[in-house]
Amino acid sequence: MDFIFNFLSSIFLGLGAALLLAAAGAVLFVKAFGLDYLRTGLLALFLLIFGGYQMVLLVGASSVRGLVDQAATAAEITTEAISDNVDAAALLEDIPGASAFLSDETAASVGTVAAIARRIDESIGDYMLRRALWLAAFCAAALGLAALMRPRRPAPMPSYGDPSGSSPSGGGYDLDF
């Protein structure tokens, strides 16, 4: 039951954070770049889809990192009661999914439960960093697109006379042919 709660909370927290990101982006696109609502909506949708995917993965990895810490603490308590040195290869066979984070050479070299937990925690930390960098890249792409989409100001027309009337001919515009 705890697994389902963690799964659903990761999805909802990630989507909630993505909604906040898209809303903040929409406000920024309208206020700072002066975009119309159609372009703002498209960019906010871009942030919601791609940023939302990364946010769900980032929040899920954070949740898994907490579970790894709990499992490592429980395993350390259990192994201290059994023995001071537990065979890492046998332990990896008993823990489903742990082999995805550790290769056979690494498993043979790490030795203890604490070292295995540390290695899995490092892998999850690297994964979270990649998710955060992808999220930053999508935000930068949205800002770049907003800068390209902003309305252009028309170029000023060249003036061929002084409209204030201070030209040598005395009129507002010198129209002598």
Side-chain angles (χ1 to χ4, degrees):
M1 191 67 173
D2 194 36
F3 171 76
I4 294 172
F5 174 75
N6 285 334
F7 176 73
L8 291 177
S9 66
S10 295
I11 289 176
F12 289 127
L13 283 174
L15 288 177
L19 281 172
L20 288 175
L21 177 71
V27 169
L28 179 71
F29 300 147
V30 169
K31 298 291 183 183
F33 293 104
L35 295 182
D36 59 352
Y37 292 116
L38 177 65
R39 292 177 182 168
T40 298
L42 289 174
L43 286 175
L45 184 66
F46 171 80
L47 276 178
L48 183 65
I49 291 171
F50 292 106
Y53 179 71
Q54 298 302 324
M55 289 297 282
V56 167
L57 294 177
L58 186 64
V59 171
S62 175
S63 165
V64 168
R65 190 179 221 179
L67 293 175
V68 167
D69 291 339
Q70 289 176 359
T73 304
E76 283 179 21
I77 293 170
T78 304
T79 55
E80 284 177 5
I82 298 172
S83 148
D84 287 339
N85 193 4
V86 175
D87 183 28
L91 188 63
L92 286 176
E93 291 174 6
D94 294 337
I95 300 174
S99 61
F101 295 102
L102 297 171
S103 64
D104 291 334
E105 301 91 35
T106 308
S109 67
V110 291
T112 65
V113 174
I116 292 173
R118 222 177 8 260
R119 177 69 180 118
I120 291 174
D121 191 51
E122 289 172 6
S123 295
I124 293 173
D126 293 343
Y127 179 80
M128 290 173 66
L129 177 65
R130 285 192 308 272
R131 296 305 106 207
L133 290 175
W134 272 109
L135 183 62
F138 287 132
C139 290
L143 287 174
L145 287 172
L148 290 174
M149 288 182 187
R150 75 174 162 218
R152 303 280 189 247
R153 299 190 192 275
M157 297 293 292
S159 95
Y160 294 105
D162 189 13
S164 65
S166 63
S167 68
S169 65
Y173 290 100
D174 189 9
L175 299 176
D176 291 333
F177 295 115

